[in-house]
Amino acid sequence: MTGDSRRRHSSQIVDGIPKAPARAMLRAVGFGDADFAKPQVGIASTWSQVTPCNMHIDGLAKEAASGVDAAGGKALIFNTITISDGIANGNEAMKYSLVSREVIADSVETVAGCQGFDGLIAIGGCDKNMPGCLMALARLNRPAVFVYGGTIRPGRNHTDIISVFEAVGAHARGSMSDADVAEVERTAIPGPGSCGGMYTANTMASAIEALGMSLPGSSAQDAISDSKRDDCRRAGAAVLELLERDIKPLDIMTREAFENAITVTIALGGSTNAVLHLMAMANTAGVPLSLDDFTRIGQRTPVLADLRPSGRYMMSELVEIGGIQPLMKRLLAAGLLHGDCLTVTGRSLAENLADVADYPPGQDIVQPLDRPIKADSHLRILRGNLAPEGAVAKITGKEGLRFSGTARVFDSETECMQRILDGTVQAGEVLVIRYEGPKGGPGMQEMLSPTSAIMGRGLGQDVALITDGRFSGGSHGFVVGHITPEAMEGGPIALVETGDRISIDAERDEIVLHVSDEELQRRRAAWTPPPPRYRRGVLAKYAHSVSSASEGAVTDRFD
Ligand code: FES
């Protein structure tokens, strides 16, 4: 391929006399004469001071830019937004969280489309900015590499952000003092990097590496490390190679690649949010993927990693034993991954794994395939009269596989949180939090505060929580989210009354409301949707355009 064909997009912006104004503008930001003949690579940085997961990404963006420039391209760094679930969780602010994924995808697409970048590097370090970046890369379909910002180190006494959330519940129960909470608050977050367990950020980073869109090893590096800086520089060289060979994201983001991402997510015990985000990314890539694919793959895929929130170890400890590449090699050898999928190295997944060494002997973070933590997936797609279009549960088995209890209904997360903390919620109850779906919330907020409060109050084995909202990757306990259709759309969850009996069976993948069809019909006839909570601004716009959670809750689906 010639240099000109690598400059398919930038040539339209900067070549020829009519484009002198664009060149004049670019000269002011540092372009010299020779730079106009180079492929332009946009570097989408999610740098922000608002959260530790992204506070270092400006430095990583500069490393990636140096990699691009050293490989013969011309890098331009631009920013998109990010938000922090760790800060927003537990109040109205959280309604903006999933919305931010769409804003990020839209903004990266908008800048790249306007600027005429030939290739892209996107650097993300938090739950929503990673799928948001991948959605933008798929929409643009220009040679691209994703770089993960890297994980945080553990806090004092092996703590992390979830330790702080659970301290709040423990304080309400009386088992932690004000001083104890203050100590955890001051020491759990020691510096830059994404939340430290196999929560949503580390889950999505791992899924993206398995998808083939980041360089091998990118998902398992400390945020502040030589290996992360090296990953950034190598991404710069990789995107030039992809430009040379005209390998684009949609060549990589195939159905088989998404199956690899799902398999690795399950083996790592990853977050329920991966279901939502992988569905959204697949939708954007035009890859048919349904909730049933998670069930099918989950039947053959064991959970192997003993990582938080349900397990013992943190991501930085997985980093120390080699990250996810040895795990992927084991899965490939067992026939659980598609080895011929193309990746951003320009080689296949199997070729990338060929020289990867196995985990060191004696480690017990990743179990062998013949001694799994759970023989099949912890991510369960449940159906039944309460969720006819599906629901997503994270059932590790530690909480049991079945739960039957009496419904206690809340029309918002805030109301539920108050009743957990004041002791109203009792053992044997199924807490129903509704009108928190994509349209109803709007924004499908995470229920990390209630699940942490349940744990903190010592009710983890005795209370289930179901919702048309979703969960943090840090949530654990007997929890079912993404119930569809959501309450705002008139789904059966809108018809539940306090005192009804609800059964959840994670072996039969069922969620059942034990109320007769006649009674449900009577309730439906009396039901009217509540007024929208927002009539102006981005939340109103989002509620108007968002699709069902069972389709990934996307806002750009018009077919
Ligand atoms: Fe960003 Fe947890 S809040 S990774």
Side-chain angles (χ1 to χ4, degrees):
M1 182 172 286
T2 69
D4 282 341
S5 57
R6 291 183 307 163
R7 296 184 52 246
R8 192 168 289 142
H9 300 280
S10 64
S11 62
Q12 295 169 34
I13 303 289
V14 298
D15 287 1
I17 290 294
K19 299 298 186 287
R23 290 195 298 276
M25 298 290 276
L26 289 168
R27 285 180 194 281
V29 300
F31 274 58
D33 287 337
D35 291 328
F36 294 110
K38 296 175 182 173
Q40 287 186 28
V41 176
I43 298 179
S45 164
T46 55
W47 173 80
S48 172
Q49 232 175 5
V50 304
T51 180
C53 18
N54 293 264
M55 63 189 273
H56 62 304
I57 284 182
D58 53 341
L60 299 185
K62 287 176 186 149
E63 295 285 359
S66 73
V68 168
D69 292 344
K74 178 62 182 168
L76 281 167
I77 300 171
F78 65 100
N79 268 91
T80 179
I81 63 147
T82 199
I83 60 93
S84 174
D85 290 356
I87 293 169
N89 240 303
N91 59 58
E92 199 75 0
M94 194 62 195
K95 295 187 190 304
Y96 288 91
S97 167
L98 191 58
V99 175
S100 76
R101 187 189 73 188
E102 306 301 297
V103 176
I104 291 161
D106 291 353
S107 64
V108 173
E109 178 192 353
T110 301
V111 176
C114 183
Q115 198 78 17
F117 295 137
D118 301 298
L120 285 134
I121 294 173
I123 310 176
C126 194
D127 307 15
K128 255 57 65 184
N129 63 42
M130 287 187 270
C133 285
L134 265 289
M135 288 160 72
L137 300 184
R139 290 183 195 172
L140 291 157
N141 199 28
R142 302 176 192 183
V145 179
F146 177 78
V147 174
Y148 179 43
T151 187
I152 197 169
R153 299 285 301 168
R156 191 183 298 164
N157 299 323
H158 212 240
T159 50
D160 63 15
I161 183 63
I162 302 303
S163 315
V164 193
F165 275 97
E166 293 187 357
V168 175
H171 182 267
R173 182 191 182 189
S175 60
M176 282 184 91
S177 66
D178 289 5
D180 292 337
V181 175
E183 168 70 8
V184 178
E185 174 192 321
R186 289 179 203 286
T187 57
I189 311 293
S194 304
C195 295
M198 190 45 69
Y199 312 140
T200 304
N202 281 316
T203 299
M204 290 313 301
S206 305
I208 291 167
E209 183 175 327
L211 187 68
M213 283 299 296
S214 60
L215 290 173
S218 183
S219 71
Q221 292 159 340
D222 286 339
I224 304 301
S225 63
D226 289 342
S227 54
K228 180 47 69 188
R229 285 187 288 275
D230 185 51
D231 180 43
C232 295
R233 288 189 293 270
R234 289 191 300 118
V239 78
L240 266 292
E241 177 70 17
L242 293 171
L243 275 160
E244 188 68 34
R245 296 176 58 184
D246 198 26
I247 297 172
K248 300 195 276 293
L250 297 190
D251 301 323
I252 295 170
M253 297 169 70
T254 62
R255 181 171 165 79
E256 288 72 27
F258 275 98
E259 292 192 347
N260 287 345
I262 294 169
T263 301
V264 169
T265 296
I266 294 169
L268 287 168
S271 161
T272 51
N273 281 317
V275 179
L276 191 72
H277 297 321
L278 289 172
M279 295 279 288
M281 288 157 53
N283 174 72
T284 308
V287 169
L289 195 71
S290 75
L291 290 176
D292 294 334
D293 290 313
F294 286 82
T295 299
R296 180 177 52 79
I297 295 167
Q299 284 163 351
R300 66 176 190 233
T301 308
V303 178
L304 299 171
D306 190 6
L307 295 167
R308 290 188 180 192
S310 303
R312 292 175 291 166
Y313 293 103
M314 294 200 172
M315 189 69 183
S316 62
E317 291 162 305
L318 181 63
V319 170
E320 285 167 14
I321 62 164
I324 72 165
Q325 290 278 301
L327 169 67
M328 287 172 60
K329 190 162 183 171
R330 289 180 179 184
L331 293 169
L332 179 67
L336 295 173
L337 291 179
H338 303 286
D340 52 358
C341 286
L342 188 60
T343 74
V344 289
T345 62
R347 298 188 299 273
S348 71
L349 185 94
E351 288 170 325
N352 290 344
L353 293 172
D355 296 326
V356 170
D358 197 13
Y359 290 118
Q363 65 82 26
D364 61 351
I365 301 174
V366 179
Q367 298 299 312
L369 276 129
D370 58 359
R371 274 190 288 120
I373 290 168
K374 188 171 184 296
D376 56 3
S377 180
H378 62 302
L379 299 175
R380 313 299 299 199
I381 308 302
L382 308 184
R383 293 182 197 274
N385 68 346
L386 196 43
E389 292 177 13
V392 180
K394 182 160 73 172
I395 308 288
T396 62
K398 289 185 177 167
E399 315 82 4
L401 297 169
R402 281 174 290 280
F403 193 97
S404 190
T406 308
R408 185 182 288 276
V409 178
F410 303 97
D411 285 347
S412 74
E413 183 205 15
T414 318
E415 201 186 320
C416 178
M417 187 65 186
Q418 285 162 356
R419 296 296 161 248
I420 297 169
L421 292 180
D422 71 11
T424 304
V425 167
Q426 297 294 315
E429 293 184 340
V430 178
L431 309 185
V432 181
I433 307 180
R434 64 189 179 193
Y435 297 108
E436 294 291 10
K439 276 189 195 306
M444 202 184 180
Q445 65 196 64
E446 293 180 348
M447 305 297 157
L448 177 57
S449 291
T451 58
S452 298
I454 288 168
M455 285 294 166
R457 287 197 72 97
L459 290 168
Q461 299 287 329
D462 306 311
V463 167
L465 195 161
I466 72 170
T467 179
D468 53 5
R470 62 197 173 96
F471 294 103
S472 158
S475 289
H476 56 129
F478 211 108
V479 296
V480 182
H482 308 213
I483 288 183
T484 55
E486 62 172 291
M488 197 65 175
E489 301 263 55
I493 190 173
L495 310 179
V496 182
E497 293 181 359
T498 294
D500 288 347
R501 190 124 199 105
I502 292 173
S503 299
I504 304 158
D505 188 326
E507 286 188 316
R508 295 161 60 101
D509 291 335
E510 254 181 15
I511 180 162
V512 177
L513 174 64
H514 295 282
V515 172
S516 69
D517 290 347
E518 296 73 33
E519 172 62 11
L520 285 177
Q521 275 173 17
R522 188 192 65 74
R523 293 183 190 177
R524 179 166 299 289
W527 178 81
T528 51
R533 288 177 171 139
Y534 297 87
R535 295 192 183 275
R536 292 284 184 279
V538 69
L539 293 178
K541 192 160 65 171
Y542 182 83
H544 184 71
S545 58
V546 70
S547 71
S548 165
S550 63
E551 296 168 345
V554 295
T555 53
D556 65 337
R557 185 165 184 160
F558 301 108
D559 49 8

